[in-house]
Amino acid sequence: MKHLIDIMELTTEEINELIATAEDIMANPDKYCEACKRKKLATLFYEPSTRTRLSFEAAMLELGGSVLGFSEASSSSVSKGESVADTARTVSCYADIIAMRHPKEGAPLVASKFATVPVINAGDGGHNHPTQTLTDLLTIKREKGRLSRLTIGCCGDLKFGRTVHSLIFAMSRYPEVDFILISPEELRIPEHVRGECLDKTGIPYQETTSLEDAMPKLDILYMTRVQRERFFNEQDYIRLKDSYILTPDKLGNARKDLSILHPLPRVNEISTAIDTDPRACYFRQALCGKYIRMALILKLLEVRV
Ligand code: NCD
């Protein structure tokens, strides 16, 4: 049985196929509207979410299936002390596929060992977020027409931002991609991403604290929120939260064809004055999240259309 816990479990070919399916669904939604009839998706969310949970649910509903689940741990038996393993086993009796978000790194992996249906990691702590990365790749493909020959600037909380970790792993497999990692000293990319990906693959990357210096070189600017919930103390969060605020004047030396992405939610890091700039892709990106998750559900349930 197939799960999706880490983006690197998918080959580049499989990622390209998912993108092609998502684009076909966008063009021909009627063809897919009964593809998952009688199938159920369970969303087990132990952490807050708007886009990931609702796009998963919308995805299953648009495939003709149904959804069940919980959106906070306190409303499930977790609050009585049930383990992730037991929950996964139980929910496998009621649903055909599970999407799980959890504050603990590795929890969806544990669930996948005990579930008897496919499990999708919908974000595990500060670790990984493979379906956000699929969303990002579909967005980049649509905005840029390619996934190669790109200078990608990742800006903000690169330490705790799980979307950036998965994005770096995924993009490192495409030719002529390089990264500029823009963060405060304390929020630099973690050692495991450096060791297992950046240094191992030899992909060119630079680290800087200056968004201004990086800006003119970028094809993609991937902004992120400072992950308040992962800080050990509030003072550090308050000190670092406004390290980068993208305002229209900061785009002065940016390329005309820059694409600005953000997994959302945004707090302060992108001024709303940017939203009407054609280079702002983040709401189109949120829409891509539904279509790529439709493609992923079809793949994991082995439904052919
Ligand atoms: C991200 C997440 O949950 O990691 N959000 C999302 O899934 N779109 C980013 C974030 O919360 O900052």
Side-chain angles (χ1 to χ4, degrees), residues 48 51-52 101 122 129 132 162-163 225 227 229 262-265 293:
R51 272 146 296 270
T52 305
R101 167 169 290 188
H129 195 343
Q132 181 62 45
R162 56 194 173 194
T163 64
R225 166 181 77 90
Q227 307 279 300
E229 64 276 35
H262 190 311
L264 303 177
R293 289 182 174 101

Side-chain angles (χ1 to χ4, degrees), residues 129-187:
H129 195 343
T131 65
Q132 181 62 45
T133 296
L134 292 173
T135 302
D136 302 340
L137 267 50
L138 173 60
T139 309
I140 295 171
K141 169 77 195 329
R142 292 181 68 75
E143 298 291 331
K144 287 275 172 277
R146 62 181 195 276
L147 289 168
S148 53
R149 287 180 290 109
L150 293 167
T151 296
I152 304 175
C154 298
C155 178
D157 186 347
L158 309 188
K159 181 177 178 188
F160 297 118
R162 56 194 173 194
T163 64
V164 171
H165 305 159
S166 299
L167 182 68
I168 291 176
F169 274 94
M171 289 306 299
S172 70
R173 297 203 294 207
Y174 290 89
E176 294 178 62
V177 168
D178 64 280
F179 285 99
I180 305 186
L181 305 175
I182 309 148
S183 74
E185 252 335 283
E186 292 101 314
L187 299 179

